[in-house]
Amino acid sequence: MQTTSNITCPKCGGTSGETMPTDACWFFYDCRHCGVKLRPLSGDCCVFCSFADVPCPPIQEAQQSGSPSGCCGAG
């Protein structure tokens, strides 16, 4: 399982590397470059699933086990 991911801001295009928690979700993220507050897109459980190059750990686990994707912490 990968616990680091790069979040890319859809407003300014800035990218920041972040360590993802394995036991919680990030529902909000303040862009380090322009300050915009990111929220998950409709249908996504967290900002990593919406704006990062690697989905959150609970989604990774669901994908690896072939289980239906659930929200963070639901696994």
Side-chain angles (χ1 to χ4, degrees):
M1 176 179 317
Q2 207 169 337
T3 58
T4 58
S5 192
N6 295 307
I7 294 179
T8 301
C9 176
K11 181 176 181 183
C12 73
T15 301
S16 298
E18 298 292 346
T19 299
M20 297 182 284
T22 58
D23 60 349
C25 280
W26 283 8
F27 297 108
F28 303 104
Y29 179 79
D30 293 324
C31 176
R32 293 182 183 187
H33 304 278
C34 71
V36 71
K37 184 178 290 274
L38 302 180
R39 293 174 176 87
L41 299 174
S42 179
D44 286 341
C45 63
C46 67
V47 294
F48 290 106
C49 290
S50 294
F51 304 108
D53 58 354
V54 176
C56 67
I59 298 298
Q60 291 180 57
E61 285 180 14
Q63 290 172 344
Q64 290 172 358
S65 70
S67 300
S69 295
C71 288
C72 299

